[in-house]
Amino acid sequence: MGEKKLSVNGARLRASIEELARIGGTSGGGMHRLALTDEDRRARDLLQEVTQASPASPWPLYLLARAQRATGDLDGAEKSARRLLELSPGSVSGAHALAQVLTERRQFAQVIEALEPVIGQAPEGRDADVALLLTHLGFAYQELGQFDKAVGAFDRAAALDPADPSQGYYLGQALVAAGRFDQALSYIRLRRATRPSDPRLARVEADALRGKGRV
């Protein structure tokens, strides 16, 4: 008998591609891998076929990198992301995809190496996207114990995307990690004035007070 072919439902396949891209774009993408179906894997394979047919098209490469990460193929995801950056130097999407893979591998020095030049030459009008890259950069600095640089990255991210409530939390955390407790308290209390019910901000405030020896 010949190789069994997978019967593919077009609507389900499109949904799988979208879902794989979504999963691959989350910080915990790997948590979803055990739930992947044959259709999901077919979606990944289809993206591979598309990129082979149109190797100079950046967007399919970005989707493929995210799909590969969602299915646990970190080597493939890194290769696709780096290929995207070769095609489009300075690509914010390519840098994001690469940073996710390197972060999952805990290769934080490489995250910094990959992101700093892209952030420095990012085009106008991409503030939210650049803020996302700065967030990756801040976490990488923090993991390497470079707390003041982490504060700088999160501060820039919060300024670029003030509507994202997570940015205030990240910056507050970084200030506490840097031992800048008074700054952390001032900043977090300012943020809590507009978000009094956010438990994350309350937790950072408690950490800052504890750092000052007041809790």
Side-chain angles (χ1 to χ4, degrees), residues 19-77:
E19 177 65 4
L20 283 176
R22 185 193 67 77
I23 291 171
T26 63
S27 60
M31 295 170 60
H32 300 267
R33 291 175 190 146
L34 293 178
L36 293 173
T37 66
D38 287 342
E39 202 79 29
D40 293 326
R41 294 181 178 86
R42 173 59 182 153
R44 176 203 58 198
D45 294 344
L46 178 61
L47 284 169
Q48 289 176 323
E49 293 170 12
V50 170
T51 58
Q52 289 169 2
S54 303
S57 298
W59 187 244
L61 271 172
Y62 173 63
L63 293 177
L64 176 59
R66 293 176 68 161
Q68 287 168 320
R69 177 172 173 261
T71 54
D73 181 9
L74 295 183
D75 288 342

